């Protein structure tokens, strides 16, 4: 097989496509759904947190998108100042700067995988599959960094020891209580990851037999030798 065929895989014979069109449509359809979900997630919050404090009986709401934070940022920063925690805006500056372009790149990679009929398609969709996990790990890293590096000169530094904030579920810090959960955007990213995995399953069912057949045919081709008899 040529290098082109090994990377892009074999083309689908016309008669094969007409007889089993659903088998070859499934990888494309699931990949299309995956990239639509991932693209839509850009416009929705990935993480939501509600903070309960005595001075705020109705609680404070915070929504984190991939590139910004919205909600009661000023009020929460004011409360965090007393325990020595840095401002929320200071978290993940690089991630917020590249997040939109990174997601668009992943969408394009998933779209490109629909044109690849070989195992290389898995490499293209791998970032989209790992993305929601990496988002949560990165969020945990930053929250841990903020919670374990409190300003020792803060007004309430003596009453609050360094801690690791809870990124999912309920956490208690002194007289404050937080309720954190995944946002709709992150749920869409998880849906994109699941659809990408399903697409790889359908992709293997559809194209592996064609790839193996093309591989056998290339091995059976014998070189032609022309002899000239004087």
């Amino acid at each position: 097989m040529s290098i082109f065929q090994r990377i892009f895989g074999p083309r689908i014979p016309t008669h094969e496509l007409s007889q089993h069109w659903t088998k070859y449509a499934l990888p494309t359809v699931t990949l299309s759904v995956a990239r639509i979900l991932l693209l839509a997630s850009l416009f929705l919050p990935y993480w939501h947190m509600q903070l309960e404090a005595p001075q705020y009986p109705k609680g404070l709401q915070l929504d984190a998108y991939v590139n910004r934070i919205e909600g009661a940022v000023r009020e929460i920063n004011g409360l965090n100042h007393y325990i020595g925690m840095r401002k929320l805006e200071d978290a993940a500056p690089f991630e917020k700067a590249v997040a939109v372009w990174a997601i668009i790149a992943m969408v394009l990679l998933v779209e490109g995988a629909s044109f690849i009929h070989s195992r290389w398609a898995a490499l293209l969709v791998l970032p989209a599959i790992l993305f929601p996990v990496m988002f949560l790990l990165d969020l945990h890293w930053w929250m841990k960094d903020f919670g374990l590096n409190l300003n020792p000169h803060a007004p309430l530094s003596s009453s609050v020891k360094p801690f690791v904030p809870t990124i999912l579920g309920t956490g208690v810090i002194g007289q404050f209580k937080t309720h954190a959960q995944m946002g709709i955007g992150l749920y869409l990213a998880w849906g994109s990851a699941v659809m990408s995995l399903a697409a790889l399953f359908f992709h293997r069912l559809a194209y592996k037999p064609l790839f193996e057949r093309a591989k056998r045919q290339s091995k059976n081709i014998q070189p032609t030798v022309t002899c000239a008899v004087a």
Side-chain angles (χ1 to χ4, degrees):
M1 297 179 67
S2 65
I3 296 178
F4 181 87
Q5 286 180 313
R6 289 184 179 277
I7 295 176
F8 290 91
R11 300 299 92 187
I12 309 171
T14 305
H15 68 278
E16 181 80 11
L17 182 60
S18 62
Q19 293 177 2
H20 307 286
W21 66 271
T22 54
K23 181 173 70 172
Y24 297 104
L26 278 173
T28 302
V29 170
T30 47
L31 286 172
S32 297
V33 174
R35 68 173 180 265
I36 290 172
L37 291 175
L38 188 56
L39 185 61
S41 74
L42 266 176
F43 307 98
L44 297 166
Y46 265 57
W47 187 66
H48 176 78
M49 194 260 299
Q50 179 180 354
L51 185 144
E52 297 177 3
Q55 56 269 58
Y56 296 100
K58 294 184 179 180
L60 298 173
Q61 309 290 330
L62 186 73
D63 288 315
Y65 294 75
V66 293
N67 62 340
R68 68 189 187 279
I69 302 175
E70 293 184 356
V73 178
R74 186 177 64 179
E75 292 83 355
I76 294 177
N77 280 338
L79 294 174
N80 287 341
H81 168 74
Y82 287 102
I83 64 174
M85 185 178 287
R86 287 172 286 167
K87 292 183 179 181
L88 296 172
E89 301 94 321
D90 295 339
F94 175 77
E95 292 89 327
K96 288 185 292 187
V98 304
V100 172
W101 296 109
I103 291 178
I104 292 175
M106 286 187 285
V107 170
L108 294 176
L109 287 175
V110 172
E111 182 176 4
S114 61
F115 299 98
I116 304 297
H117 300 167
S118 69
R119 65 184 65 182
W120 290 101
L123 188 62
L124 295 182
V125 301
L126 185 60
I129 294 173
L130 297 178
F131 176 60
V133 177
M134 299 305 297
F135 176 86
L136 288 176
L137 289 176
D138 188 69
L139 177 63
H140 173 73
W141 188 90
W142 278 104
M143 290 296 99
K144 181 179 178 181
D145 181 64
F146 270 40
L148 296 182
N149 294 282
L150 301 177
N151 183 359
H153 305 293
L156 300 179
S157 60
S158 59
S159 59
V160 177
K161 297 180 179 179
F163 64 98
V164 179
T166 303
I167 65 168
L168 294 176
T170 300
V172 179
I173 307 100
Q175 58 182 345
F176 305 140
K177 180 182 289 187
T178 60
H179 305 281
Q181 61 186 15
M182 294 190 298
I184 299 176
L186 187 52
Y187 278 111
L188 291 181
W190 279 113
S192 175
V194 171
M195 294 304 294
S196 296
L197 286 172
L200 291 181
F201 173 76
F202 295 131
H203 185 280
R204 180 179 176 84
L205 289 181
Y207 298 118
K208 191 174 187 300
L210 289 181
F211 189 86
E212 295 298 331
R213 185 193 309 170
K215 192 174 180 180
R216 289 194 302 268
Q217 289 176 348
S218 64
K219 288 183 178 180
N220 291 333
I221 297 176
Q222 299 296 328
T224 301
V225 179
T226 304
C227 298
V229 180

